[in-house]
Amino acid sequence: MIDIQKIREDFPILKREINGYPLVYFDNAATSQTPKQVMDCIVDYYSNYNANIHRGVHTLSQEATDLYEASRKKIQAHFNAKKDYEIIFTSGTTHSINLVANGFSALLKEGDELIVSALEHHSNIVPWQMLCERTGAVLKVIPMDENGELKMDVYSELLSDKTKLVFCNHISNALGVINPIEEIITKAHAVGAAVLIDGAQACPHLKPDVQALDVDFYVASAHKMCGPTGVGMLYGKEEWLKKLPPYQGGGEMIAEVTFEKTTYADLPHKFEAGTPNICGGIAFGAAIDYMNNIGFDAILAYENELLKYGTEKLSEIEGLKIYGVSDKKASVISFNIEGIHPYDIGTIVDKLGVAVRTGHHCAQPIMDFFKIPGTVRASFAFYNTKEEIDVLVAAVKKASMMLS
């Protein structure tokens, strides 16, 4: 069981007022809030350990290096990677995806095929389109249905010996639908294709096991997991990371440099050029510690309660339509009210202290499928309450009355 009041004490921002109303923060799919424990870790780093890592023999450098690499091991353990060097620190999910897409430029030829799902965030579409432009590879799409679920029978038909890479999000950021990634991975591997899973929306709610999934690449961002912005991770199987060329050149990623030739460092440093976000990497580990102390089984169970309650209450509003009505969902409710632009609803509920996201959520193909300009998206975290959902429902009702 989650002690919700105790948890809320860890998040100072939840005591804020917006326009004279207590803050109700339902924009967690964009970024989660940060607990004091992670803030304290950041202050502690800059107060006591601030130094560049891996390069210095002095005490501060060694201490900072130890903390940074300890965080890598925490992330390894959390995702159950086989080796710590299969965890690459990046600036976030987008950086991680681009790193892999860049690497596959050297592995693809004209006519090779990539498969993407129709439910993707732009960051898991655009880098692959750019890759196809560079290589002559062909991008194919797994379509979705009216419930927001992927048409897996079509996916099976798309797969062939030409398929080299499949990429899909674990959970849709726009709809909250949980995709059948186990089936996606198994079927891709049957034709010899690699799989990248965008876990940005999944990792705040559940605990992926990359070895059990047998996934080739898995990516995530710290700022959606109670951590800081500007840091994330790429998990890659060792054999794949060795195949990919370096993404960036510079310090740290080299073994030896001469003007005639440069040789590259071993994993993970091959992909970590330059001075990294040291404090962010350390705080990422602290955020994972914080969430694990609560427990992901408890987090998922509680958030499912919030999702069910919010779905029931919002569905009572006249003219409200929810998009993404799969039985397998995480804590996102994406909706519109007939005849009202989502931006207008978002503006009014903000004046009542409620933070929701409006727009296409960097998932324009989904909005095009439903023939809508965007949605209002309320996304819940383990520090939210049913009472806050009641405030949201009242605010949406008031917006509906004002705008009708």
Side-chain angles (χ1 to χ4, degrees):
M1 286 288 293
I2 280 184
D3 185 343
I4 185 65
Q5 294 309 319
K6 182 175 182 295
I7 286 171
R8 285 178 66 85
E9 287 297 318
D10 292 335
F11 293 85
I13 199 169
L14 299 181
K15 294 183 172 65
R16 267 206 70 178
E17 289 191 350
I18 303 294
N19 299 316
Y21 295 90
L23 169 65
V24 173
Y25 186 78
F26 285 153
D27 195 21
N28 295 287
T31 198
S32 64
Q33 293 302 333
T34 308
K36 290 185 294 186
Q37 291 85 339
V38 175
M39 297 181 199
D40 290 345
C41 173
I42 293 169
V43 172
D44 183 51
Y45 169 77
Y46 282 114
S47 299
N48 296 298
Y49 304 104
N50 186 23
N52 215 324
I53 57 174
H54 296 143
R55 305 170 192 174
V57 297
H58 63 82
T59 299
L60 285 184
S61 177
Q62 291 180 2
E63 289 175 344
T65 299
D66 289 346
L67 288 168
Y68 191 73
E69 292 304 326
S71 185
R72 193 192 306 273
K73 288 184 180 297
K74 288 179 184 179
I75 297 167
Q76 174 202 357
H78 180 79
F79 289 94
N80 194 31
K82 187 179 293 185
K83 305 286 179 58
D84 62 349
Y85 52 75
E86 292 179 318
I87 301 297
I88 309 299
F89 278 114
T90 66
S91 66
T93 299
T94 299
H95 179 191
S96 298
I97 293 170
N98 276 274
L99 190 159
V100 177
N102 178 81
F104 265 81
S105 294
L107 304 179
L108 296 179
K109 63 181 185 301
E110 188 171 355
D112 285 342
E113 294 179 355
L114 311 179
I115 297 178
V116 61
S117 96
L119 290 170
E120 299 312 299
H121 188 282
H122 296 164
S123 63
N124 207 22
I125 299 174
V126 178
W128 307 112
Q129 290 176 325
M130 295 167 69
L131 174 63
C132 288
E133 290 171 1
R134 291 195 300 268
T135 62
V138 178
L139 187 65
K140 298 195 169 185
V141 182
I142 312 168
M144 59 183 280
D145 63 20
E146 290 290 334
N147 292 333
E149 297 177 330
L150 295 177
K151 295 184 177 181
M152 294 301 288
D153 55 337
V154 178
Y155 172 58
S156 297
E157 294 169 2
L158 291 175
L159 288 164
S160 73
D161 57 4
K162 291 183 178 180
T163 309
K164 302 305 176 187
L165 183 66
V166 177
F167 35 99
C168 175
N169 54 38
H170 197 158
I171 296 176
S172 165
N173 75 299
L175 304 178
V177 174
I178 303 174
N179 287 316
I181 63 168
E182 294 87 349
E183 182 181 353
I184 287 169
I185 293 165
T186 299
K187 288 184 173 180
H189 285 171
V191 299
V195 181
L196 180 144
I197 298 296
D198 173 358
Q201 295 297 329
C203 294
H205 312 295
L206 48 86
K207 194 170 180 175
D209 183 329
V210 294
Q211 288 193 72
L213 289 169
D214 194 28
V215 68
D216 303 288
F217 304 99
Y218 197 97
V219 299
S221 295
H223 73 94
K224 298 183 191 293
M225 301 177 65
C226 297
T229 56
V231 66
M233 72 98 197
L234 161 67
Y235 159 78
K237 285 182 179 176
E238 180 178 5
E239 56 266 35
W240 274 110
L241 292 177
K242 285 185 173 178
K243 288 179 187 177
L244 300 184
Y247 179 47
Q248 294 175 310
E252 193 67 26
M253 52 74 66
I254 55 87
E256 185 175 354
V257 175
T258 68
F259 284 111
E260 289 70 38
K261 182 177 176 60
T262 292
T263 55
Y264 304 127
D266 292 332
L267 298 172
H269 307 298
K270 171 183 171 183
F271 296 108
E272 295 182 354
T275 298
N277 182 352
I278 302 167
C279 179
I282 295 168
F284 191 179
I288 282 177
D289 284 344
Y290 178 82
M291 296 190 75
N292 277 319
N293 284 337
I294 296 170
F296 276 82
D297 288 343
I299 286 171
L300 185 59
Y302 178 69
E303 289 178 346
N304 282 340
E305 283 184 35
L306 294 178
L307 177 63
K308 181 181 178 183
Y309 184 81
T311 301
E312 290 173 353
K313 293 297 183 181
L314 284 167
S315 296
E316 295 171 358
I317 298 175
E318 185 177 354
L320 188 144
K321 178 179 179 179
I322 293 175
Y323 298 87
V325 292
S326 171
D327 292 335
K328 296 179 179 178
K329 281 187 67 175
S331 53
V332 167
I333 303 176
S334 207
F335 65 90
N336 279 331
I337 296 177
E338 186 178 359
I340 302 175
H341 197 283
Y343 178 85
D344 295 333
I345 296 172
T347 300
I348 289 175
V349 301
D350 174 64
K351 295 186 183 302
L352 300 172
V354 181
V356 293
R357 179 74 42 165
T358 63
H360 54 63
H361 317 300
C362 293
Q364 284 184 323
I366 293 176
M367 305 305 148
D368 292 343
F369 175 85
F370 288 116
K371 297 180 173 58
I372 54 177
T375 66
V376 180
R377 184 185 69 187
S379 50
F380 311 130
F382 58 88
Y383 43 72
N384 290 128
T385 67
K386 291 179 180 178
E387 291 77 14
E388 288 182 314
I389 292 174
D390 292 337
V391 173
L392 166 68
V393 172
V396 171
K397 285 180 178 177
K398 185 171 184 177
S400 179
M401 291 173 59
M402 292 174 63
L403 297 167
S404 294

